[in-house]
Amino acid sequence: MPGSPCGLLLDYKTAKFSLTRNRRVGLLHRLLQLSALGYLLGWVLLLRKGYQERDAAPRVAVVTKVKGAAPAGAAGRRLWDAADLTWPPQGENVLFLVTNFIATAQQAQGTCPESPSVLDAMCTEDADCPMGNPVVHGNGIKTGKCVMFNATRSTCEIYGWCPVENSTLPRKPLLAEAENFTLFIKNTVHFTKFNFSKCNTLQTSDPSYFKSCTYDPVFNPSCPVFRVRNMVEAAGEHFGDLALLGGSIGVLIKWDCDLDHPAAQCQPQYFFSLQDTRYNFRTASYYWGSQRQLYRNLLKLYGLRFDISVHGQAGKFSIIPTAVSFGTSIAFFGAATVVCDLVLLYLDAKADLYWKEKFEEANPPKGKPEASAYGHRECSTTSTLPSGATSR
């Protein structure tokens, strides 16, 4: 007969350990314990360093500078240096290095035939060139006339910068010597949580070090001066192929600092990846002619776009993550016992026997009617009066 709610509330259950000589379950128990131990030692402590507090959002600063010179015979044997070939000149996370170009000299605003390479410019009569309509992907506004571009083709006349842009691409990059240019990347990270700062440049008193060194991942990993050709090859491309039509190179600077070790061991790693195989844009320089007419020289520039990004994290010993990591691992040890109990009680062929051995109901001694069959006292009591007595 079940006891009253008060008795159930006051029940006490104590753990009982039963030695079970079941080798399969014993082997399972040891494997689960070894897995929990491997998780603690291998994953939590060695790989994830779960005993450390982490800072994965450092403040970063990047400064870049390009140096080098390259001749271009197609531009009147003009010599191009870093001031001519890079946009912006320095100090940005993104910069562009010219490797090829198409020049259109002495353009002035006026009327001229549109280029036949523009599909919307082809015509056979004036009706094909409605006045005032812009040429789609072209160079100006239609004047309403269909004129001869050369002896075999007719195009719409436009009002714009004339003559129209030259579209003949050189077969080889005009600034192939740009592969020997060097890119200086200065990067500083600051982990605010630990008040720790580090720069990727080597702390040296030799003023000529940065003028003579070149980055090498094995022999010179502390030099922040990179040869352009080496960067392109590290991204999996050949400079000659990429220089003709341009491309985009991603530069990733990755910091992974363990502040439980000396600060000198906190060094960046550099990774290079190809983002695109074509990249170009146009720029122009303006000047006034002798007749006070405005002219411009148009350049369509092809080259390498370097996109520099910085990621990093730092870790340092702290008692709180250490306690959390050990607490999680201890919970896994306890879970091993729970799993083995479930196997014994529900999946084993002798599950009934294990039930009887694991759970035992402790009954109180006989002769004590005030105790229920479940070993607790009733909340309400009754008294027996002597015969002949009346209650008042």
Side-chain angles (χ1 to χ4, degrees):
M1 178 177 179
S4 67
C6 182
L8 292 174
L9 184 63
L10 299 179
D11 279 348
Y12 172 73
K13 296 180 180 180
T14 184
K16 178 183 179 181
F17 296 95
S18 299
L19 177 61
T20 304
R21 299 188 182 280
N22 189 317
R23 292 186 177 182
R24 290 178 297 175
V25 177
L27 178 61
L28 175 63
H29 190 221
R30 292 295 178 251
L31 289 176
L32 292 175
Q33 287 181 330
L34 288 175
S35 299
L37 184 62
Y39 166 78
L40 172 63
L41 298 179
W43 177 257
V44 175
L45 298 183
L46 294 180
L47 295 180
R48 300 292 298 177
K49 297 182 179 180
Y51 53 87
Q52 290 184 334
E53 186 178 6
R54 314 296 293 180
D55 184 356
R59 295 179 181 177
V60 300
V62 177
V63 175
T64 60
K65 182 182 295 185
V66 175
K67 287 188 176 182
R77 199 57 186 175
R78 176 185 171 183
L79 185 70
W80 296 59
D81 61 13
D84 300 311
L85 297 182
T86 55
W87 280 265
Q90 60 179 338
E92 299 291 338
N93 287 28
V94 177
L95 61 88
F96 178 79
L97 176 63
V98 180
T99 58
N100 199 10
F101 64 89
I102 301 175
T104 307
Q106 292 184 328
Q107 284 186 317
Q109 290 194 357
T111 59
C112 56
E114 179 61 279
S115 172
S117 62
V118 180
L119 296 179
D120 190 43
M122 304 303 294
C123 64
T124 57
E125 56 183 13
D126 291 348
D128 296 332
C129 306
M131 183 172 33
N133 287 0
V135 180
V136 179
H137 304 298
N139 298 282
I141 306 297
K142 296 177 182 179
T143 64
K145 296 180 180 180
C146 182
V147 297
M148 296 298 295
F149 180 82
N150 54 31
T152 59
R153 288 179 288 186
S154 299
T155 60
C156 294
E157 185 183 61
I158 62 167
Y159 177 80
W161 288 97
C162 297
V164 294
E165 179 183 9
N166 178 18
S167 59
T168 304
L169 184 69
R171 295 184 178 182
K172 294 182 179 180
L174 298 177
L175 301 171
E177 288 297 323
E179 67 177 354
N180 295 318
F181 279 38
T182 57
L183 175 60
F184 173 78
I185 304 177
K186 184 178 181 180
N187 168 227
T188 302
V189 293
H190 178 67
F191 297 97
T192 56
K193 183 177 290 187
F194 307 117
N195 193 27
F196 176 81
S197 297
K198 191 67 185 292
C199 183
N200 69 326
T201 58
L202 182 67
Q203 303 300 317
T204 177
S205 58
D206 183 4
S208 63
Y209 174 75
F210 297 110
K211 297 181 180 180
S212 59
C213 76
T214 303
Y215 171 81
D216 185 275
V218 177
F219 301 104
N220 206 356
S222 299
C223 179
V225 180
F226 301 84
R227 188 185 179 197
V228 171
R229 178 180 178 179
N230 295 342
M231 298 173 71
V232 174
E233 291 178 349
E237 280 289 329
H238 295 288
F239 179 85
D241 298 336
L242 206 60
L244 184 62
L245 296 177
S248 181
I249 301 292
V251 182
L252 172 62
I253 305 176
K254 186 177 180 180
W255 295 83
D256 191 1
C257 298
D258 187 346
L259 301 185
D260 294 328
H261 294 88
Q265 297 185 18
C266 177
Q267 298 293 337
Q269 291 180 300
Y270 302 94
F271 301 93
F272 306 93
S273 61
L274 180 65
Q275 297 178 335
D276 200 352
T277 55
R278 289 176 178 264
Y279 193 83
N280 65 78
F281 68 92
R282 294 170 175 82
T283 184
S285 58
Y286 300 85
Y287 60 95
W288 293 94
S290 58
Q291 302 297 324
R292 299 301 299 168
Q293 185 176 8
L294 182 63
Y295 291 90
R296 77 174 187 180
N297 291 329
L298 178 66
L299 288 175
K300 185 177 182 181
L301 303 176
Y302 298 83
L304 303 179
R305 180 182 186 269
F306 294 97
D307 188 356
I308 303 170
S309 59
V310 183
H311 298 281
Q313 63 175 350
K316 193 174 184 179
F317 175 80
S318 177
I319 190 63
I320 295 178
T322 302
V324 172
S325 298
F326 274 92
T328 303
S329 302
I330 292 173
F332 283 138
F333 274 95
T337 301
V338 174
V339 171
C340 292
D341 282 348
L342 294 176
V343 172
L344 281 174
L345 298 176
Y346 293 99
L347 302 179
D348 196 273
K350 299 180 181 180
D352 293 338
L353 175 62
Y354 295 132
W355 267 98
K356 294 179 182 179
E357 293 296 329
K358 182 173 179 61
F359 300 102
E360 180 179 350
E361 186 176 313
N363 295 317
K366 295 182 179 180
K368 294 185 179 181
E370 67 275 10
S372 69
Y374 289 87
H376 60 265
R377 295 179 178 275
E378 303 287 352
C379 289
S380 60
T381 59
T382 58
S383 60
T384 305
L385 298 178
S387 58
T390 60
S391 60
R392 300 183 63 180

